[in-house]
Amino acid sequence: MSWTGWLIFFLVLQVVHALGTWKMYVAAGRKAWEAFVPVYNAVIFMKILNRPWWYVFLLFLPVVNLIMFIVVWVEALRSFGYNKAKDTVLVIVTLGLYLYFINYTQPLNYIENRSLHPRTSAGEWTSSILFAVIAATIVHTYVMQPFIIPSPSLEKTLLTGDFLFVSKMHYGPRIPMTPVALPMVHDTIPVLHVKSYLETPQIPYTRIPGFSKIKRNDIVVFNWPADTLYGFPSIDNLHHDKPIDKKSNYVKRCVAIAGDLFSIVDGKVHIDGQPTVLPERARLQHTYKSVTTPQPIDPAMLKKEYDITDAVGHYYDTENDNAPTLAVSAATVEAAAALQANPNILDLNKRIDKKGSWDPAIFPYDSKIANNNDNFGPVLIPQKDATVEINYNNIGYYKRIIEVYEGSEMNIINTISVNGKSVLLNGKPLNAYTFKQNYYWLMGDNRHNSYDSRGWGFVPENHVVGKPVFVWMSMDWSGSFPSLRFDRMFTTVNGSGQPTSYLWILIVGLLGYFGYKKFIKKKSNK
């Protein structure tokens, strides 16, 4: 739905509210016309309900307002003496329309300075739960969201089983595009395994300004642009069954920002032709292969002595006289150097996909471009309001942006076709294109065990969720029994130097708090 559609919908709601409540305004000593003035009527209605004026803001926060509507309906009934359970159930079941029945057919005796304290314990519990859910929804949607690392794509930098808090404030909170949804649930209701939202209506993409921009090498949480996939990996078979903000959450490192000329040369990321310098905390991993002695190498030993946790394999290399060979799917440079010193390792080599060797699973799946995991591009990362020349050779990179990210997801019908070596947009020649938003390139630090932008392409700005700020808990599920990684609890995700746990500060703070409370209690008892 466009902003014009939402404005019309908003005005219709104002009329529905006014027609169903104007007599209540009059009974409370206000003027009937006040019920018909948008926004102002909400301020006045809060006064009638004996609630603070700032509740009005909650009525306009998507997702939160669904709960607030229920609160306001029930409060309106109670302000005129309708406190029975029957009234509460009817106003909720009828989505507030029960107020019409009260407004036009029942006596309206306004209770001025009504006590806001619930009359029963059940009412008190209900009120407390509702406002707790409202507060939690505001924090979850606009301030900070919990997230768990589900895969090893950032392994050694962030570990599988790390529980993160993701800041929405850094890049700016994104207004939920799916306004009718269950609070604090992503795309599926737990246990029931059904969708937690209605696909329509949709709010146009809007982001409240944050206090920082996405920078190169930031770790970013985003909605996976390719969700949901059918016929993987063909880009033409990508279907969009979910709204943007309900697509699966992914976390990767932003290796290139809008305006960068991005390339990968022999496994190293380059920006504008120069290799990038990663922060100290980034721990890249690559795949290695080694000829070994006949002595078997124990994977448990690799984990204990070299911190190699991804899969390893032993085989006899038929292309090398059946030499016993060890394949290590992921190891850091430090681990590889230490492993090289093992007497059973005869020749350790990093696996690099050669330039010109086409991998059909790598974006944009075009043999004439011939990208692979370790040699990619160069390609210009699209920047808002920047114009890029479009031709037969590079349209593969930008086709999806023009058709989908700046087409169907923005309610525009765009179709790209190629006639010989001419590129057509909606049947007309396309020689240049001006982008409507910024795009980013995100990759995992576990370079050969990460499904990232090399697999699906650019990440649009409207898919960005937030920035991980710290690990509050970390679970190791690799052993027979899950265990806590205490050294990772309450560590920051960003910053200089190696991660440091601040768990001891939390423990000292909690002990001090409870000790102080106990001291005050003893003092008051005396």
Side-chain angles (χ1 to χ4, degrees):
M1 188 185 293
S2 66
W3 282 119
T4 302
W6 275 107
L7 177 60
I8 295 171
F9 179 69
F10 171 74
L11 294 176
V12 170
L13 280 184
Q14 295 299 305
V15 173
V16 171
H17 166 79
L19 292 176
T21 60
W22 68 270
K23 283 191 173 183
M24 293 181 176
Y25 282 76
V26 174
R30 308 298 305 193
K31 302 295 184 181
W33 63 264
E34 291 179 299
F36 291 86
V37 181
V39 183
Y40 174 75
N41 57 6
V43 175
I44 299 303
F45 208 52
M46 290 305 110
K47 289 184 179 181
I48 293 173
L49 303 184
N50 199 22
R51 291 293 186 179
W53 64 269
W54 53 264
Y55 270 37
V56 174
F57 289 112
L58 302 183
L59 292 173
F60 292 93
L61 284 179
V63 180
V64 175
N65 56 8
L66 298 180
I67 308 170
M68 283 302 301
F69 290 153
I70 296 173
V71 172
V72 168
W73 298 335
V74 174
E75 292 282 300
L77 290 175
R78 291 178 179 176
S79 294
F80 292 90
Y82 296 95
N83 300 299
K84 294 179 180 180
K86 175 197 71 174
D87 298 312
T88 301
V89 170
L90 284 173
V91 79
I92 294 173
V93 169
T94 62
L95 301 180
L97 294 178
Y98 180 64
L99 292 176
Y100 273 75
F101 172 76
I102 298 296
N103 191 62
Y104 288 105
T105 68
Q106 302 300 306
L108 296 173
N109 300 312
Y110 178 58
I111 305 173
E112 193 171 0
N113 298 321
R114 175 179 63 92
S115 173
L116 301 180
H117 188 75
R119 298 184 179 185
T120 64
S121 58
E124 187 169 355
W125 273 100
T126 302
S127 179
S128 299
I129 290 171
L130 270 176
F131 282 99
V133 170
I134 290 171
T137 302
I138 292 172
V139 172
H140 184 276
T141 306
Y142 299 96
V143 182
M144 194 82 69
Q145 177 181 339
F147 181 80
I148 182 172
I149 300 292
S151 70
S153 67
L154 283 167
E155 194 73 18
K156 299 300 180 276
T157 302
L158 292 175
L159 306 184
T160 304
D162 279 352
F163 289 75
L164 308 177
F165 275 132
V166 176
S167 168
K168 305 288 186 73
M169 305 300 291
H170 276 76
Y171 306 138
R174 184 181 59 183
I175 301 298
M177 288 173 269
T178 308
V180 184
L182 200 64
M184 296 181 295
V185 175
H186 188 51
D187 60 341
T188 305
I189 299 175
V191 182
L192 298 179
H193 303 294
V194 296
K195 286 195 301 186
S196 63
Y197 60 92
L198 296 181
E199 293 185 11
T200 54
Q202 286 286 301
I203 295 177
Y205 166 67
T206 307
R207 190 180 294 274
I208 300 170
F211 51 79
S212 70
K213 300 287 186 182
I214 296 178
K215 299 184 289 294
R216 269 182 231 107
N217 294 320
D218 276 1
I219 295 177
V220 178
V221 173
F222 59 98
N223 297 118
W224 180 31
D227 200 2
T228 301
L229 272 171
Y230 297 100
F232 169 81
S234 172
I235 200 73
D236 293 327
N237 290 329
L238 292 172
H239 295 256
H240 308 278
D241 290 345
K242 298 180 183 178
I244 292 173
D245 55 341
K246 293 302 177 182
K247 293 180 179 181
S248 301
N249 287 326
Y250 270 34
V251 58
K252 308 287 179 187
R253 185 180 299 280
C254 179
V255 297
I257 61 176
D260 284 347
L261 183 64
F262 165 80
S263 61
I264 305 175
V265 180
D266 292 336
K268 296 180 180 179
V269 170
H270 286 60
I271 301 297
D272 300 330
Q274 299 298 317
T276 59
V277 178
L278 289 167
E280 184 180 350
R281 293 191 183 189
R283 302 188 65 197
L284 293 190
Q285 294 195 101
H286 289 88
T287 297
Y288 292 85
K289 185 176 81 169
S290 172
V291 175
T292 70
T293 65
Q295 177 70 31
I297 295 178
D298 183 10
M301 179 273 293
L302 293 175
K303 178 180 179 181
K304 182 178 179 181
E305 295 190 17
Y306 306 106
D307 195 26
I308 293 174
T309 52
D310 278 28
V312 295
H314 296 271
Y315 65 97
Y316 291 94
D317 191 348
T318 56
E319 297 180 358
N320 189 19
D321 297 327
N322 285 325
T325 302
L326 173 72
V328 179
S329 61
T332 62
V333 173
E334 297 82 5
L339 185 61
Q340 178 73 73
N342 187 301
N344 291 316
I345 300 296
L346 303 181
D347 184 21
L348 186 67
N349 295 294
K350 184 189 293 184
R351 194 205 84 187
I352 296 292
D353 294 339
K354 295 180 180 179
K355 183 176 178 61
S357 172
W358 177 48
D359 185 341
I362 297 299
F363 182 82
Y365 326 114
D366 191 338
S367 60
K368 68 177 178 289
I369 294 175
N371 285 330
N372 59 51
N373 265 315
D374 298 309
N375 283 281
F376 188 103
V379 59
L380 183 66
I381 309 299
Q383 185 174 23
K384 184 178 181 181
D385 297 328
T387 300
V388 171
E389 179 187 351
I390 300 295
N391 55 53
Y392 171 75
N393 293 314
N394 70 4
I395 187 58
Y397 284 119
Y398 304 119
K399 180 177 187 289
R400 180 170 172 79
I401 287 179
I402 298 169
E403 286 190 333
V404 180
Y405 304 143
E406 304 205 346
S408 61
E409 289 180 354
M410 294 187 175
N411 297 316
I412 302 169
I413 299 175
N414 282 334
T415 302
I416 294 290
S417 59
V418 177
N419 184 10
K421 289 197 173 182
S422 298
V423 179
L424 307 177
L425 172 59
N426 301 327
K428 298 179 180 179
L430 178 66
N431 300 312
Y433 184 81
T434 303
F435 298 98
K436 297 179 175 63
Q437 61 177 318
N438 290 320
Y439 292 83
Y440 304 93
W441 196 267
L442 292 109
M443 290 170 54
D445 289 353
N446 195 346
R447 289 294 162 82
H448 286 109
N449 191 11
S450 172
Y451 183 51
D452 50 40
S453 282
R454 291 169 295 180
W456 68 75
F458 307 101
V459 174
E461 185 175 28
N462 62 5
H463 284 59
V464 172
V465 174
K467 181 177 183 177
V469 288
F470 70 91
V471 179
W472 63 274
M473 187 173 73
S474 184
M475 295 291 297
D476 183 358
W477 288 311
S478 63
S480 301
F481 298 97
S483 59
L484 280 170
R485 302 185 186 107
F486 287 100
D487 62 324
R488 294 190 61 79
M489 292 176 66
F490 289 88
T491 59
T492 55
V493 173
N494 302 286
S496 59
Q498 294 303 310
T500 302
S501 174
Y502 295 97
L503 179 61
W504 65 272
I505 296 179
L506 176 69
I507 293 173
V508 170
L510 289 174
L511 289 175
Y513 171 76
F514 287 113
Y516 175 76
K517 292 281 286 185
K518 188 173 182 180
F519 172 76
I520 293 297
K521 186 176 181 179
K522 282 185 176 180
K523 189 175 180 181
S524 63
N525 288 339
K526 288 181 180 180

